[in-house]
Amino acid sequence: MKKNRYIRQTTLKGFGVEGQQKLAAAKVLVVGAGGLGVPVLSYLNAMGVGKIGVMDNDTVSIANLHRQVLYGQGDVGESKVIAALEKLKEQNNDSNIVVYNTFLEPKNALAIIADYDLVVDTSDNFPTRYLVNDACVILNKPFVYGALHGYEGQVSVFNYKGGPTYRCLFPNMPKEHEVPNCNEHGVLGIIPGIIGNLQALEAIKVIAGIGEVLSGRLLLFNGLDQSYQKINFKQQPENLEIVALQEYYEWHDPCAVIQTVTADKIQSLMTENAQIIDVRTAEEFENYHLSNAIHIPLDSLENSSGKINFSIPVYILCQSGKRSEIAVKQLREKHPESTLFSILGGLNQYLATCS
Amino acid sequence: MKVLLFGIAKDIVGSSQLQFSEVVPKTVLELKQLISKTYPKFGELSSLAVAVNSEYAKDDVPLNRNDEIAIIPPVSGG
């Protein structure tokens, strides 16, 4: 630690050398290097937090610059974490910055967060926020929450010393498109700056053990009238009972881009003698089926998947294309390497247009 | 009864505040239903935190004429 660098903090009553030492020993993960992440990163780094993890998988775009003031025009197109690393090292080369050029996902969340004392959720979407919450509950780590909507913002500290969590306020994720994000709704550049700085302040308070941490209280900020309101809320014990992450947090399974072929391909698939699996019921199959289709009803797919040759492409067929999608999802779990197609529109489409 | 609206709830209602003086809902749930009647899109919100006099309140919490209520949808922007 360079002499005098933090002298204005170490001379501050109530913070002092002790507070500074706590910052130097602290390990903080910042999830998201965007509008909220930038002020959090800038201040934690400037103030002397020892280890800072920066996580993002996005690149800097020109439309980010009005609020993500760490980045400049020359960074457009550059990875956010790489650009941030460069600026933060220039700002303070004492700190240990670890970059994660990835988004937080169920498969990496626990391993990464385990290395830190505190998480700052500066993400911009609900799936990540719920994932941060659940991972922090499982690992018993506090996290500083901040989020915004238009001219308003919310700040709180969750899971702090057994205190309430994000799910104690909002038990379940809202439906997709129910609440617009910044990209859809717009954002005034300064607002994430204010909310992010409030988050940075809470992070510093948690680390240094000063003041009253915003735990069990939700701060509501409105930039248009400069009003701050606080709502008290209590812990709901069931929200501390999370033992494992959900398999996925997206509204749609991120791997759920289901490969499809259109029903007009059925004729050529039959000519090629391709592997077509018909997942309709026995009755439907008896009623009508393609000459070379293999019949495995959807409800016995799991037990009968031995009938499928996964080393060649698998084309799944049903009446309308719905069950075949479900079948693809089911099979993909156990056979992730296989090539699975759902036939769009199913037999209905084929019979209506192609036969 | 003063109802403060935040986030998407404010956008739906088109104002940051609602007043109830004649018909006063008896519970948080009734208040939500009342707002939904006038603003059907409000009724579609599946996740809302409600605070009565700055204390988080579940649907069954009773309301009084002089209460100040805050309706706080989750926000995700960052």
Side-chain angles (χ1 to χ4, degrees), chain A residues 278-344:
Chain A
D278 188 330
V279 294
R280 296 174 306 150
T281 62
E283 203 181 354
E284 287 173 292
F285 189 80
E286 225 167 86
N287 209 11
Y288 173 85
H289 63 88
L290 301 177
S291 57
N292 53 351
I294 302 163
H295 182 226
I296 309 176
L298 184 60
D299 56 14
S300 55
L301 193 61
E302 267 184 35
N303 304 324
S304 314
S305 60
K307 290 186 190 167
I308 302 173
N309 178 3
F310 288 101
S311 61
I312 56 168
V314 185
Y315 297 88
I316 315 274
L317 177 71
C318 69
Q319 198 68 33
S320 73
K322 279 199 178 137
R323 279 173 288 178
S324 57
E325 270 194 26
I326 297 168
V328 167
K329 284 183 190 167
Q330 269 188 25
L331 290 173
R332 186 167 53 192
E333 276 183 21
K334 285 201 177 145
H335 306 274
E337 304 302 317
S338 56
T339 308
L340 303 162
F341 295 93
S342 166
I343 299 176
L344 272 180

Side-chain angles (χ1 to χ4, degrees), chain A residues 35-36 124-126 129 147-149 152 154 168-170 172 175 178-180 182 185 229-233 236, chain B residues 4-8 10-11 44-49 51 54-56 58 68 70 72-78:
Chain A
L36 294 169
D124 62 357
N125 62 87
F126 287 114
R129 295 184 181 287
L148 46 114
H149 177 91
E152 295 172 14
Q154 302 180 351
C168 300
L169 261 185
F170 303 111
N172 297 305
K175 296 188 295 260
E178 191 173 307
V179 179
C182 285
H185 192 263
Q229 277 178 290
K230 280 183 224 156
I231 303 301
N232 299 313
F233 61 101
Q236 307 295 320
Chain B
L4 306 174
L5 301 156
F6 293 88
I8 186 75
K10 178 164 95 179
D11 297 348
E44 291 170 21
L45 299 176
S46 66
S47 173
L48 281 179
S54 299
E55 297 287 334
Y56 184 88
K58 292 190 174 175
E68 182 179 282
I72 310 151
V75 299
S76 72

Side-chain angles (χ1 to χ4, degrees), chain B residues 49-77:
Chain B
V50 176
V52 178
N53 303 322
S54 299
E55 297 287 334
Y56 184 88
K58 292 190 174 175
D59 279 352
D60 57 356
V61 168
L63 299 180
N64 296 306
R65 188 169 286 273
N66 297 325
D67 287 339
E68 182 179 282
I69 293 136
I71 295 193
I72 310 151
V75 299
S76 72

Side-chain angles (χ1 to χ4, degrees), chain A residues 339-355:
Chain A
T339 308
L340 303 162
F341 295 93
S342 166
I343 299 176
L344 272 180
L347 279 171
N348 286 345
Q349 183 69 18
Y350 172 69
L351 295 171
T353 56
C354 313
S355 61

Side-chain angles (χ1 to χ4, degrees), chain A residues 63-348:
Chain A
N64 293 151
L65 300 183
H66 80 119
R67 65 189 190 283
Q68 300 176 20
V69 296
L70 190 62
Y71 310 120
Q73 286 157 193
D75 299 316
V76 171
E78 173 83 88
S79 143
K80 280 189 183 173
V81 290
I82 300 299
L85 175 69
E86 209 173 281
K87 316 270 174 180
L88 296 171
K89 287 311 274 184
E90 206 279 320
Q91 183 189 38
N92 187 350
N93 63 10
D94 282 341
S95 50
N96 172 16
I97 314 274
V98 181
V99 298
Y100 301 93
N101 204 346
T102 173
F103 291 123
L104 193 72
E105 292 169 17
K107 64 177 186 220
N108 63 22
L110 294 174
I112 293 174
I113 292 174
D115 285 342
Y116 293 87
D117 314 316
L118 174 68
V119 177
V120 187
D121 175 11
T122 52
S123 66
D124 62 357
N125 62 87
F126 287 114
T128 305
R129 295 184 181 287
Y130 280 88
L131 173 57
V132 167
N133 178 81
D134 293 359
C136 286
V137 169
I138 290 169
L139 296 167
N140 198 21
K141 311 270 182 186
F143 70 104
V144 182
Y145 157 82
L148 46 114
H149 177 91
Y151 303 96
E152 295 172 14
Q154 302 180 351
V155 182
S156 191
V157 179
F158 294 125
N159 204 39
Y160 176 70
K161 295 188 174 169
T165 73
Y166 185 45
R167 287 188 188 270
C168 300
L169 261 185
F170 303 111
N172 297 305
M173 191 154 79
K175 296 188 295 260
E176 195 179 9
H177 306 308
E178 191 173 307
V179 179
N181 62 30
C182 285
N183 292 347
E184 297 159 354
H185 192 263
V187 57
L188 196 67
I190 184 71
I191 302 292
I194 293 166
I195 299 301
N197 276 307
L198 291 172
Q199 286 182 276
L201 175 58
E202 288 308 307
I204 296 295
K205 284 161 61 185
V206 168
I207 297 165
I210 58 168
E212 266 179 61
V213 171
L214 204 55
S215 169
R217 287 175 300 158
L218 174 71
L219 175 69
L220 300 165
F221 169 75
N222 183 345
L224 289 180
D225 58 8
Q226 290 278 24
S227 64
Y228 295 80
Q229 277 178 290
K230 280 183 224 156
I231 303 301
N232 299 313
F233 61 101
K234 293 194 173 68
Q235 187 216 89
Q236 307 295 320
E238 69 269 21
N239 294 325
L240 293 181
E241 285 164 17
I242 301 167
V243 290
L245 295 177
Q246 293 167 206
E247 201 172 332
Y248 56 87
Y249 283 76
E250 302 296 322
W251 281 289
H252 304 295
D253 180 347
C255 317
V257 182
I258 291 176
Q259 292 196 77
T260 55
V261 294
T262 48
D264 58 0
K265 291 270 160 45
I266 287 179
Q267 200 61 54
S268 58
L269 289 175
M270 293 210 296
T271 318
E272 294 161 21
N273 212 13
Q275 181 176 221
I276 300 173
I277 311 292
D278 188 330
V279 294
R280 296 174 306 150
T281 62
E283 203 181 354
E284 287 173 292
F285 189 80
E286 225 167 86
N287 209 11
Y288 173 85
H289 63 88
L290 301 177
S291 57
N292 53 351
I294 302 163
H295 182 226
I296 309 176
L298 184 60
D299 56 14
S300 55
L301 193 61
E302 267 184 35
N303 304 324
S304 314
S305 60
K307 290 186 190 167
I308 302 173
N309 178 3
F310 288 101
S311 61
I312 56 168
V314 185
Y315 297 88
I316 315 274
L317 177 71
C318 69
Q319 198 68 33
S320 73
K322 279 199 178 137
R323 279 173 288 178
S324 57
E325 270 194 26
I326 297 168
V328 167
K329 284 183 190 167
Q330 269 188 25
L331 290 173
R332 186 167 53 192
E333 276 183 21
K334 285 201 177 145
H335 306 274
E337 304 302 317
S338 56
T339 308
L340 303 162
F341 295 93
S342 166
I343 299 176
L344 272 180
L347 279 171
N348 286 345

